[in-house]
Amino acid sequence: MAQSTPRPDELLTAEQAAATLGIQPGTWRSYAARGQAPPGRKIGGKRRWTRAEIEHHRDHPPSANPARLGRPPGATDTQPRRPSLAARRAEEVAARLATGETLTTEQVMTTYGVTERTAQRLLQRARMGS
């Protein structure tokens, strides 16, 4: 079955589409430019959308598509990521504190080559156990 051309009174401007969705016209234009909205059609130099396209977009927003969640297609880093350097250092400091060793800010600064504030944060994180 061939798709018929929509009647002019069925077509909505960006302003009308945005009002239907409860967003600003600039936001709707931005979605369309990024491919997050139906492409519509250009008539008289202006882009227009059918009411059905707008309602479908409202009922099925791009973020509701589970295929678009998670890592992008082709991602090769499927292994869990390592803890951050700060987390690993805090674990080391926590292990040293657990043995009964007393660590000062200056010792942490010297051992890890960090600033005083970073050393304080490492000690605090190690004492909190995170």
Side-chain angles (χ1 to χ4, degrees):
M1 180 175 174
Q3 189 171 1
S4 63
T5 304
R7 296 188 334 234
D9 60 337
E10 293 177 341
L11 296 173
L12 304 177
T13 64
E15 289 76 15
Q16 293 167 326
T20 301
L21 297 169
I23 60 176
Q24 295 294 317
T27 303
W28 177 250
R29 286 187 198 97
S30 175
Y31 288 167
R34 290 185 302 209
Q36 294 176 317
R41 62 210 37 80
K42 237 179 179 177
I43 298 174
K46 303 267 184 173
R47 192 144 303 274
R48 310 281 178 170
W49 296 267
T50 63
R51 183 167 301 282
E53 288 175 319
I54 301 304
E55 290 172 353
H56 183 269
H57 180 79
R58 180 192 62 209
D59 298 336
H60 303 92
S63 61
N65 183 353
R68 296 186 64 153
L69 300 176
R71 294 186 179 177
T76 58
D77 59 336
T78 57
Q79 298 298 318
R81 291 191 166 84
R82 290 178 52 187
S84 69
L85 179 60
R88 292 192 312 262
R89 286 180 173 171
E91 286 176 12
E92 291 174 17
V93 171
R96 289 175 66 181
L97 290 173
T99 64
E101 186 177 348
T102 304
L103 290 175
T104 64
T105 302
E106 290 77 21
Q107 289 171 319
V108 174
M109 288 171 54
T110 304
T111 303
Y112 296 106
V114 295
T115 64
E116 181 178 5
R117 182 65 185 127
T118 300
Q120 291 169 348
R121 287 180 177 151
L122 281 172
L123 284 168
Q124 180 181 14
R125 189 172 185 175
R127 288 181 182 126
M128 291 176 60
S130 57

